[in-house]
Amino acid sequence: MLAPGFADPVHDAQATFRAVMDALARPGLPRPLTPGLNPPVPLTPELAAVALALTDADTPVWLDAGLAAEPAVATYLRFHTGAPLTEDPAGAAFALVSDPARCPPLAAFAPGTPAYPDTSTTLVLACAAITDGEGLSLTGPGIRGTVRVAPAPLPEGFVAQRAENHAGFPLGVDLILTTPGRVAGLPRSTTVTEG
Amino acid sequence: MGGGGGAEPSAPQSGYNFAYLDEGTKRMIRRAILKAIAVPGYQVPFASREMPMPYGWGTGGVQVTAAILGRADVLKVIDQGADDTTNAVSIRRFFAKTSGVATTTRTTEATVIQTRHRIPETPLTEGQTLVYQVPIPEPLRFLEPRETETRQLHALAEYGAMHVKLYEDISRHGHIATTYAYPVEVAGRYVMDPSPTPKFDNPKMDDCPALQLFGAGRERRIYAVPPYTSVRSLDFEDHPFRVQDFTEPCALCGARGHYLDEVVTDDAGGRMYICSDTDICETRVAEAAR
Amino acid sequence: MYVAVKGGEAAIDNAHRLLAEARRGDPAVPELSVAQIREQMALLVDRVMTEGSLYDPDLAALALKQARGDVVEAVFLVRAYRTTLSRFGASVPVDTGQMAVARRVSATFKDLPGGQVLGPTFDYTHRLIDFALAAESEIEPAAEADPRADAAICPRVTDLLAQDGLIEASPPDAGAPVGDLTREPVDYPADRALRLQALARGDEGFVLGLAYSTQRGFGRTHPFVGEIRVGDVAVEFVPEELGFAVPLGRVRLTECQMVNQFKGSGTAPPQFTRGYGLSFGQSERKAMAMALVDRALRAEELGEPVVSPAQDQEFVLAHCDSLQATGFVEHLKLPHYVDFQAELELVRRLRAEFERKSESVEMQEAAE
């Protein structure tokens, strides 16, 4: 049987959006996100919440290999969002990544165009944990001074990939990092170094 | 709560969705807001809807507010700094009716503040969101009327014409003659229109702990300044940016350093100056009376 | 001292009560019914439907009643209602070739299959006030004309011309989704379908003025009215689960096909070009104006210089919508005293500096 979507579609979608908005507005500061969803694995409740809150028929969605291998995931997302699924990462408005360690290079996704940098892909990653403190050192808009945060796992060579992504600003992809019960933002405007 | 404008949460009006907009429209606006936050100062196109109030009267701000508002929010709406100007009243009532959220006139109590033409004098704090109503979001529009051209200028970060315009003012008047909607550079990249707030308010935008969202309904653009982001008013080394100052204090609360409205008191040239921000003025008057 | 900065809430309530009273007018005069407006102000209803982008005569009539007859305000009410409606999808394109015509005239051919059908029109009436209408009156029923033998077949004039290749072919329907400017902000340059949508929703007066300007040399297109037809067409919809078209109902439309200046080159033989207009109900002026501006906006595509306002799509599309225009013009009524204060302060400072400068010049002159 198909797993249900939000219990309260209007207010659960709003709460999820606000958590994501706050997370992107204050990069590296995780926000609580408890959507109460029970989607088919390996789709996590947090990935599902972001998809249900933000995607629809106007937003092509790309699934990583782990999610694409499980037909129940596509059925669940298609039913609850109506979003078209795409196999082309560069054609996706949103990319759902259940296994960040095996995420394709960030450069494989759409960075937007100089005239329309908003036509980029937003990646939503399911991390096992996001802990405060040493790991990544963040500076930029939304950050008072410096923020340290340690999401794990991350794509291979993440700091170098992010540096490349940031160098193209205002082009680039934005990252929404989720972990059970929390969400953190890493927009393209953020400078990421190790530390 | 002062001004008679505050209200407890109530049941929203039936027949329309929470906060008026349908969920599909909210999703579209929410996606635009996230992009706007990720690229500070860049104007994100969005499919602005027809709202039950006219274009030019705050439809952009109303759509942004409707998209972010949740049941737990406390909403404040100001126009010209005041909670009781007719358009502020009308928009506050619209949300009270369609969403049932609590409303307030107190800057410190609000989680979401929708504004036209002012930034509150009371410093904003983390967790607050300021939503600006924007008539012409394009800072270059009066230098170049064509969207196809201005879009390229932003893409190339080619802002020379703006500096030339400001410098022409200096050579003609001895001053930069732009007193409101004074252009700013956000996070070192995009030049942005701060909406027609007096330039007096520009310094409040810089490194502000609150999130600032801008909605232009008729022109179909949303843009943002995240918290703690640099917002620099354009200026020149030999003509640094400076704000208006008022020689007199507020006639009601005695405050100095607030933006004042000039009120004509008689037909013999009588004038008085009072705070444009009614909340801070009322709070100060009430505290003095205690 | 009393400062009149308070009282917004009470003022709004009172103003709305006054509006309700003014809307009703003298209570001794019978109140208009929505049906009366729909039936007797039908062309006004048609205009509100056209610019409101919603085919619903009763709703448009009600909007007109609520708006006290203000067309732009009525369009506003209809549009604001329209945005709240759920979308089920797009209908099958209507076939105006299958229209049951109530009126059909061509200025390019004296007679043609299906004939010229004058129908209900102001054309050729003498514009003399008919004082008899001031009293309630019985009307004489119109004579039933004997239908022509070929009345059932009413091919479009442009189709007749196209058979001989005399007019550019209408681009084939590629089946690609049609843009919708109410769902996506316009990205310039806008394609023709989007331009037509903007023009159809555009203010009749503005579009008419632009069309007129093309006739006066600001982007000439040498137009002929190939055909204007007014009548009912069927609207069909294909539900995804059924897979075949089901009829939803009929709508009355006015279609205008302009036949314009020909083009040709060393490689392509000369052909007339097209301008297209379509409106809800009977809105001939709008459909004709739309067709003229449509053709003018094709200047670039047809290799003509873009030099006039009606050829400039950013100018036309950004300014033809009456709601956007009226909202922004009328917002000047809103208080602007914060910004005005900033300007006052600057002008006073500049004036003081000016006076100081002139005084010092005077003193210098006196000293010399």
Side-chain angles (χ1 to χ4, degrees), chain C residues 88-157:
Chain C
F88 302 109
S91 75
V92 177
V94 295
D95 184 359
T96 52
Q98 298 296 317
M99 178 185 277
V101 299
R103 169 166 164 76
R104 188 258 199 138
V105 290
S106 169
T108 49
F109 297 101
K110 187 174 181 194
D111 197 8
L112 63 171
Q116 305 256 19
V117 182
L118 212 46
T121 176
F122 294 122
D123 298 348
Y124 318 114
T125 62
H126 294 138
R127 268 63 168 206
L128 302 171
I129 295 265
D130 182 356
F131 291 100
L133 283 176
E136 283 172 32
S137 55
E138 290 289 312
I139 53 156
E140 209 176 304
E144 280 287 335
D146 287 331
R148 281 167 56 133
D150 59 357
I153 314 131
C154 208
R156 286 176 291 224
V157 167

Side-chain angles (χ1 to χ4, degrees), chain A residues 58 78 116, chain C residues 184 187-188:
Chain A
D58 294 335
R78 284 284 301 150
Y116 294 96
Chain C
E184 292 272 345
D187 181 13
Y188 297 107

Side-chain angles (χ1 to χ4, degrees), chain B residues 146-207:
Chain B
R146 281 172 201 285
E147 170 69 19
T148 35
E149 294 293 323
T150 52
R151 186 158 287 283
Q152 283 311 310
L153 294 174
H154 283 293
L156 300 166
E158 176 49 67
Y159 297 122
M162 180 62 92
H163 284 95
V164 169
K165 191 255 168 207
L166 295 174
Y167 212 84
E168 277 172 2
D169 281 359
I170 295 172
S171 50
R172 192 173 311 145
H173 304 293
H175 299 274
I176 291 174
T178 302
T179 58
Y180 58 91
Y182 190 102
V184 295
E185 181 197 79
V186 180
R189 175 57 175 80
Y190 283 95
V191 166
M192 184 189 94
D193 181 291
S195 89
T197 49
K199 67 177 182 178
F200 180 89
D201 286 335
N202 277 21
K204 295 178 185 149
M205 305 177 76
D206 181 39
D207 207 33

Side-chain angles (χ1 to χ4, degrees), chain C residues 17-335:
Chain C
R17 272 198 291 274
L18 272 175
L19 171 65
E21 216 176 278
R23 175 188 299 124
R24 178 61 183 86
D26 182 352
V29 176
E31 185 175 349
L32 270 175
S33 73
V34 170
Q36 282 172 327
I37 297 170
R38 186 194 63 222
E39 296 302 317
Q40 298 173 38
M41 293 286 143
L43 299 187
L44 193 52
V45 167
D46 290 346
R47 178 168 173 190
V48 170
M49 291 196 300
T50 299
E51 295 178 26
S53 292
L54 187 70
Y55 193 91
D56 187 334
D58 286 302
L59 193 80
L62 176 58
L64 277 162
K65 179 175 177 175
Q66 186 180 336
R68 304 178 64 197
D70 182 328
V71 178
V72 175
E73 187 67 29
V75 170
F76 187 175
L77 290 168
V78 168
R79 289 252 198 108
Y81 178 76
R82 178 187 186 273
T83 37
T84 66
L85 300 176
S86 308
R87 281 164 192 250
F88 302 109
S91 75
V92 177
V94 295
D95 184 359
T96 52
Q98 298 296 317
M99 178 185 277
V101 299
R103 169 166 164 76
R104 188 258 199 138
V105 290
S106 169
T108 49
F109 297 101
K110 187 174 181 194
D111 197 8
L112 63 171
Q116 305 256 19
V117 182
L118 212 46
T121 176
F122 294 122
D123 298 348
Y124 318 114
T125 62
H126 294 138
R127 268 63 168 206
L128 302 171
I129 295 265
D130 182 356
F131 291 100
L133 283 176
E136 283 172 32
S137 55
E138 290 289 312
I139 53 156
E140 209 176 304
E144 280 287 335
D146 287 331
R148 281 167 56 133
D150 59 357
I153 314 131
C154 208
R156 286 176 291 224
V157 167
T158 44
D159 294 343
L160 299 175
L161 286 169
Q163 281 168 6
D164 303 330
L166 287 170
I167 193 163
E168 59 174 339
S170 196
D173 182 0
V178 179
D180 179 351
L181 57 81
T182 71
R183 316 291 291 179
E184 292 272 345
V186 175
D187 181 13
Y188 297 107
D191 67 16
R192 189 171 174 208
L194 270 185
R195 300 196 305 254
L196 287 169
Q197 184 189 14
L199 292 173
R201 290 160 58 87
D203 181 70
E204 181 171 310
F206 184 83
V207 179
L208 177 67
L210 282 172
Y212 175 49
S213 74
T214 68
Q215 291 181 282
R216 292 193 63 262
F218 287 85
R220 274 181 92 189
T221 63
H222 304 273
F224 297 93
V225 170
E227 182 177 358
I228 294 169
R229 54 172 64 200
V230 182
D232 295 345
V233 297
V235 179
E236 295 185 324
F237 182 73
V238 182
E240 208 175 324
E241 62 273 23
L242 289 185
F244 57 86
V246 293
L248 295 182
R250 301 179 77 73
V251 296
R252 174 150 289 206
L253 297 176
T254 302
E255 181 185 62
C256 174
Q257 300 247 23
M258 287 285 177
V259 177
N260 296 80
Q261 181 160 18
F262 56 83
K263 52 151 193 168
S265 64
T267 53
Q271 281 185 317
F272 289 110
T273 56
R274 298 165 183 258
Y276 187 76
L278 188 74
S279 55
F280 283 146
Q282 184 172 0
S283 307
E284 287 174 40
R285 185 185 303 118
K286 175 63 180 286
M288 293 176 73
M290 178 177 165
L292 288 174
V293 179
D294 168 50
R295 176 58 184 80
L297 287 173
R298 296 180 61 209
E300 198 172 354
E301 168 202 342
L302 295 170
E304 298 160 355
V306 176
V307 288
S308 299
Q311 297 169 320
D312 180 337
Q313 59 160 286
E314 278 204 47
F315 180 81
V316 175
L317 267 56
H319 301 116
C320 68
D321 188 87
S322 66
L323 291 202
Q324 291 173 4
T326 201
F328 201 46
V329 167
E330 292 197 55
H331 108 286
L332 294 172
K333 291 186 279 198
L334 288 178

Side-chain angles (χ1 to χ4, degrees), chain B:
Chain B
M1 290 179 190
E8 295 296 313
S10 59
Q13 186 176 38
S14 59
Y16 288 98
N17 193 23
F18 176 83
Y20 183 78
L21 295 176
D22 60 280
E23 290 300 299
T25 298
K26 285 184 192 168
R27 265 194 305 276
M28 175 271 295
I29 296 172
R30 287 167 178 169
R31 291 192 295 259
I33 290 171
L34 297 183
K35 297 287 188 187
I37 290 170
V39 190
Y42 164 69
Q43 303 163 51
V44 182
F46 82 111
S48 174
R49 302 290 197 246
E50 265 111 5
M51 297 298 286
M53 57 270 294
Y55 286 119
W57 298 55
T59 54
V62 165
Q63 289 180 78
V64 170
T65 299
I68 67 172
L69 214 55
R71 277 186 294 208
D73 277 310
V74 180
L75 177 69
K76 171 181 164 84
V77 183
I78 53 173
D79 186 346
Q80 312 294 301
D83 297 274
D84 59 358
T85 37
T86 45
N87 203 46
V89 171
S90 163
I91 291 172
R92 187 169 61 237
R93 280 187 176 181
F94 174 75
F95 281 114
K97 193 156 82 179
T98 57
S99 76
V101 300
T103 57
T104 184
T105 59
R106 302 298 303 271
T107 301
T108 50
E109 289 172 4
T111 57
V112 176
I113 303 173
Q114 181 168 328
T115 181
R116 175 169 175 264
H117 291 196
R118 275 310 311 276
I119 300 173
E121 306 286 4
T122 309
L124 300 176
T125 54
E126 287 187 7
Q128 287 186 312
T129 302
L130 185 61
V131 179
Y132 295 75
Q133 301 172 200
V134 182
I136 304 276
E138 179 49 71
L140 306 171
R141 182 59 70 233
F142 297 107
L143 304 172
E144 170 52 63
R146 281 172 201 285
E147 170 69 19
T148 35
E149 294 293 323
T150 52
R151 186 158 287 283
Q152 283 311 310
L153 294 174
H154 283 293
L156 300 166
E158 176 49 67
Y159 297 122
M162 180 62 92
H163 284 95
V164 169
K165 191 255 168 207
L166 295 174
Y167 212 84
E168 277 172 2
D169 281 359
I170 295 172
S171 50
R172 192 173 311 145
H173 304 293
H175 299 274
I176 291 174
T178 302
T179 58
Y180 58 91
Y182 190 102
V184 295
E185 181 197 79
V186 180
R189 175 57 175 80
Y190 283 95
V191 166
M192 184 189 94
D193 181 291
S195 89
T197 49
K199 67 177 182 178
F200 180 89
D201 286 335
N202 277 21
K204 295 178 185 149
M205 305 177 76
D206 181 39
D207 207 33
C208 176
L211 170 64
Q212 302 174 73
L213 300 177
F214 299 77
R218 189 177 39 77
E219 300 279 342
R220 307 182 140 200
R221 296 290 183 272
I222 286 172
Y223 52 103
V225 176
Y228 303 115
T229 296
S230 111
V231 177
R232 191 180 66 79
S233 301
L234 301 186
D235 64 354
F236 301 92
E237 256 172 41
D238 50 344
H239 279 89
F241 174 81
R242 50 180 283 262
V243 299
Q244 299 100 323
D245 44 25
F246 294 86
T247 48
E248 301 185 39
C250 169
L252 299 179
C253 75
R256 289 185 181 277
H258 290 180
Y259 196 83
L260 302 179
D261 288 336
E262 178 171 336
V263 181
V264 181
T265 52
D266 55 38
D267 55 5
R271 298 276 194 279
M272 69 185 284
Y273 291 85
I274 57 171
C275 288
S276 133
D277 182 335
T278 50
D279 170 53
I280 200 162
C281 194
E282 282 168 14
T283 306
R284 285 173 51 86
V285 168
E287 275 168 8
R290 228 182 279 149

Side-chain angles (χ1 to χ4, degrees), chain A residues 46-143:
Chain A
E46 293 75 22
L47 285 185
V50 174
L52 265 55
L54 293 173
T55 68
D56 55 30
D58 294 335
T59 54
V61 171
W62 179 89
L63 302 178
D64 76 352
L67 294 169
E70 179 51 69
V73 169
T75 308
Y76 178 87
L77 292 172
R78 284 284 301 150
F79 179 81
H80 289 297
T81 70
L85 299 176
T86 175
E87 288 173 12
D88 173 18
F94 287 87
L96 303 183
V97 181
S98 64
D99 184 358
R102 274 195 277 275
C103 183
L106 298 184
F109 298 92
T113 64
Y116 294 96
D118 53 305
T119 53
S120 57
T121 307
T122 301
L123 278 76
V124 193
L125 274 54
C127 299
I130 302 176
T131 45
D132 302 342
E134 221 157 283
L136 302 177
S137 179
L138 315 181
T139 56
I143 301 166

